[in-house]
Amino acid sequence: MTAKKAIRSALISVYHKEGLEEVAKELIARNVIIYSTGGTAAYLESLGAKVEEVADLTGYPSILGGRVKTLHPKVHGGILARRSEEGDVKTLAEFDIPPIDLVVVDLYPFEETVASGAEDAAIIEKIDIGGIALIRAAAKNFTDVTCIASEEEYSELAKLLREQNGEISLEQRKTFAARAFDVSSHYDTQIHAYLDPESPNLKLSLQKPKQLRYGENPHQKGYFLGNLSKVFEQLNGKELSYNNLVDIEGALQLVDEFEEPFFAIIKHTNPCGCALGNDMKEAWHRALEGDPVSAFGGILACNGKIDKELAEDINKLFYEVLIAEEFTEEALEVLRSKKKRIVLKRLSKEMHPQIVKSAINGYLVQDKDHKKADESILEVKTSRQPSREEISDVVFGDLVCKHLKSNAIALVKNGQLIGSGIGQTSRIDALKQAIQKAEVRGFELSGSVLASDAFFPFADSVELAHQKGIEIVVEPGGSVRDEDTINFCESHGMCLIFTGIRHFKH
């Protein structure tokens, strides 16, 4: 530590006073000159500090309902003056401006006011002007000034003053300055987001990153930035990992597509099993039946309540995470018998509306794929018409396929995923994979629906489907060879349906 500077004067004007007493005691003990305003001045005086009002320093009272208090050369000059510059020192003397060595200022609670649902006028009043200017000035001049911009740093400052006899080193001042600009940039980002929520400019500011054990692999660092406590209550298990969070995102996006009792089992963001049911227990058993091998170590998610009987069934499988809207106390007692398995109660459906990915030397941003193919937009391209039950599976299959990695094929039957082809480099290979998985599990393909996330470039996929007894095919359409596919289906008594909606997922 080098270039220590003694704190001889301080400007303190804060919204949050909790913890400030510790700092005040250290300053008082060292006879530091303290400048302050309004409520902060009164608070410091109650602690025994001798306080000089900023209004007495500037010769101007607080005006415009408190909007202007510290915006004055006698304040900012004392902060910004470079002590090593002879001209700056002469200017201070010429205009009787006292140098200020320490600035302790926090900001009006803008984010909290927005979150409270306050009216626009009240929110605008929480846009801090004087505070942000003081923070930026003090942080810029960290060579000579210590800047404390958050109540979270009061304790650290007091400790340094106590242990270093009222001196702060250059390295410490620089660290505080960096944190101060983090505070100010975050603050401005939140204001911009409030005033222009639809801006195409990417401005992200998320503080207090949670360090994860590692990223996708042990040699990669991983962090989460956000507030999971608004979305989940963790009722059991170890800490969530990077991969857990990625899979949970995929699981919830799929679950939120359905209102009926629905269960999904996710591996590497893909549903390996999912199904509707008359109740949660039936939905669970049908989802597991789809691929019980891949379900091992998966993420389980549903849109309903877990009771004791269902918990006992689920506990027979090794899983990483179980998510539900509600758990009975008896169910939790069962689930907690497995100490490391993560159990999450969902508190809200709040999800980020966009997808942001780093790409090359920049970022890609897109809206999430919320479009659904309901019955009203289905375009039957053949004379063979679907029944009511088949239409239900068409809609179900298209929704499930939307959540598989491209190239993707979903085979569904009676509201159950019975086979899937995921992440293949050709569509025919995706179909072959889906058929193989369904046949290995003993599912009868006759009566099932084939859903594709994108158009068929050739008729080979529907030819193979026909060989396996599949009569209903749903796809977006849009290929230059659509007529080949349509003609094959028509001549072989198959039903081909176009949705007009592609669901690529990479």
Side-chain angles (χ1 to χ4, degrees):
M1 297 292 182
T2 59
K4 286 185 178 178
K5 284 186 177 289
I7 303 297
R8 296 187 175 88
S9 60
L11 171 61
I12 306 176
S13 182
V14 297
Y15 186 90
H16 300 96
K17 298 174 180 61
E18 185 176 351
L20 187 61
E21 180 178 1
E22 192 179 357
V23 174
K25 286 181 177 179
E26 296 299 327
L27 298 178
I28 293 168
R30 289 167 177 77
N31 297 313
V32 173
I33 299 170
I34 299 176
Y35 301 96
S36 191
T37 62
T40 306
Y43 175 75
L44 292 169
E45 287 174 340
S46 74
L47 298 176
K50 183 180 178 182
V51 178
E52 296 190 25
E53 285 277 356
V54 168
D56 294 333
L57 173 64
T58 64
Y60 280 87
S62 173
I63 62 174
L64 305 181
R67 282 189 166 196
V68 180
K69 289 184 283 191
T70 57
L71 296 170
H72 194 280
K74 279 211 168 184
V75 175
H76 285 271
I79 296 170
L80 286 165
R82 294 158 291 186
R83 279 48 160 186
S84 61
E85 293 286 333
E86 184 179 349
D88 287 9
V89 175
K90 285 183 177 179
T91 298
L92 293 183
E94 179 182 356
F95 293 100
D96 192 25
I97 300 173
I100 296 173
D101 304 317
L102 169 66
V103 172
V104 181
V105 175
D106 63 2
L107 300 170
Y108 292 154
F110 180 83
E111 278 187 272
E112 293 86 343
T113 306
V114 172
S116 74
E119 294 183 356
D120 187 67
I123 292 171
I124 297 303
E125 281 307 306
K126 287 298 185 287
I127 298 178
D128 207 313
I129 303 301
I132 205 83
L134 291 169
I135 288 171
R136 290 178 61 84
K140 175 178 179 177
N141 201 25
F142 69 86
T143 301
D144 297 300
V145 180
T146 300
C147 181
I148 301 299
S150 167
E151 61 180 322
E152 295 177 2
E153 296 175 335
Y154 294 168
S155 179
E156 182 178 356
L157 173 62
K159 183 174 183 289
L160 292 175
L161 291 172
R162 182 167 55 253
E163 294 179 353
Q164 297 175 184
N165 195 29
E167 295 182 333
I168 306 297
S169 73
L170 177 61
E171 289 85 352
Q172 290 162 348
R173 294 195 299 276
K174 186 175 181 180
T175 296
F176 282 129
R179 294 176 190 171
F181 280 115
D182 183 32
V183 168
S184 67
S185 64
H186 177 78
Y187 196 76
D188 286 340
T189 298
Q190 303 314 307
I191 295 169
H192 172 263
Y194 174 74
L195 295 175
D196 189 6
E198 302 300 323
S199 172
N201 296 322
L202 179 61
K203 294 181 185 291
L204 299 177
S205 182
L206 298 166
Q207 297 177 312
K208 300 178 181 177
K210 176 180 174 57
Q211 185 163 2
L212 306 172
R213 283 172 289 164
Y214 48 80
E216 281 189 285
N217 301 292
H219 60 274
Q220 296 171 271
K221 290 183 179 179
Y223 303 88
F224 177 79
L225 295 101
N227 186 1
L228 290 175
S229 64
K230 292 174 66 176
V231 183
F232 302 118
E233 178 185 358
Q234 184 163 347
L235 303 175
N236 191 63
K238 59 188 178 181
E239 285 193 4
L240 289 163
S241 70
Y242 182 101
N243 291 331
N244 288 158
L245 291 168
V246 173
D247 284 339
I248 287 169
E249 164 90 357
L252 296 182
Q253 287 186 30
L254 176 57
V255 166
D256 287 348
E257 300 279 14
F258 300 95
E259 295 181 2
E260 310 96 313
F262 178 80
F263 229 112
I265 304 170
I266 304 295
K267 288 291 287 290
H268 301 290
T269 74
N270 291 291
C272 58
C274 64
L276 297 167
N278 292 316
D279 53 34
M280 280 298 123
K281 184 176 182 181
E282 183 182 25
W284 159 249
H285 283 293
R286 300 186 78 223
L288 182 61
E289 184 182 31
D291 191 347
V293 173
S294 296
F296 182 85
I299 306 294
L300 318 181
C302 70
N303 57 3
K305 179 192 288 189
I306 305 294
D307 60 19
K308 180 182 179 181
E309 184 180 4
L310 180 50
E312 289 173 339
D313 283 346
I314 291 172
N315 244 19
K316 296 173 184 176
L317 174 75
F318 170 72
Y319 61 87
E320 283 278 339
V321 181
L322 171 62
I323 310 164
E325 294 182 358
E326 193 175 348
F327 298 86
T328 66
E329 284 301 319
E330 295 80 9
L332 286 176
E333 186 176 345
V334 171
L335 296 170
R336 284 170 174 157
S337 66
K338 310 292 186 180
K339 302 299 183 184
K340 293 185 178 181
R341 295 185 189 177
I342 299 166
V343 177
L344 301 176
K345 178 183 177 181
R346 197 169 182 191
L347 303 178
S348 81
K349 292 188 177 182
E350 178 183 333
M351 301 276 276
H352 202 290
Q354 293 181 314
I355 297 171
V356 180
K357 292 183 179 181
S358 61
I360 312 174
N361 64 345
Y363 296 89
L364 290 170
V365 182
Q366 67 170 346
D367 295 334
K368 285 186 176 175
D369 184 2
H370 291 305
K371 198 156 188 179
K372 298 182 180 183
D374 59 32
E375 184 178 350
S376 66
I377 67 168
L378 300 180
E379 184 181 357
V380 180
K381 307 299 290 187
T382 54
S383 55
R384 158 73 156 90
Q385 297 293 306
S387 67
R388 298 301 309 170
E389 292 77 13
E390 289 169 337
I391 289 175
S392 295
D393 267 347
V394 164
V395 173
F396 177 81
D398 187 70
L399 282 176
V400 172
C401 194
K402 167 182 166 180
H403 295 273
L404 300 172
K405 291 291 180 70
S406 301
N407 286 316
I409 295 290
L411 297 177
V412 303
K413 190 173 183 179
N414 300 323
Q416 179 186 33
L417 177 64
I418 63 172
S420 58
I422 304 167
Q424 299 302 302
T425 52
S426 72
R427 198 149 299 279
I428 186 66
D429 283 344
L431 176 56
K432 289 176 181 177
Q433 183 188 52
I435 290 171
Q436 186 268 337
K437 289 178 76 70
E439 290 181 333
V440 164
R441 299 296 159 216
F443 288 106
E444 175 58 55
L445 293 177
S446 176
S448 67
V449 169
L450 184 164
S452 176
D453 67 329
F455 63 64
F456 294 111
F458 307 101
D460 52 357
S461 291
V462 292
E463 292 170 3
L464 177 57
H466 174 67
Q467 293 173 19
K468 295 295 182 177
I470 300 170
E471 296 185 12
I472 310 292
V473 177
V474 58
E475 54 141 319
S479 168
V480 294
R481 294 187 176 87
D482 274 350
E483 286 303 314
D484 293 346
T485 300
I486 294 170
N487 290 337
F488 182 88
C489 290
E490 179 65 31
S491 63
H492 290 80
M494 299 173 69
C495 174
L496 178 65
I497 300 173
F498 283 2
T499 64
I501 305 171
R502 189 182 73 184
H503 290 301
F504 271 167
K505 185 180 180 187
H506 294 90

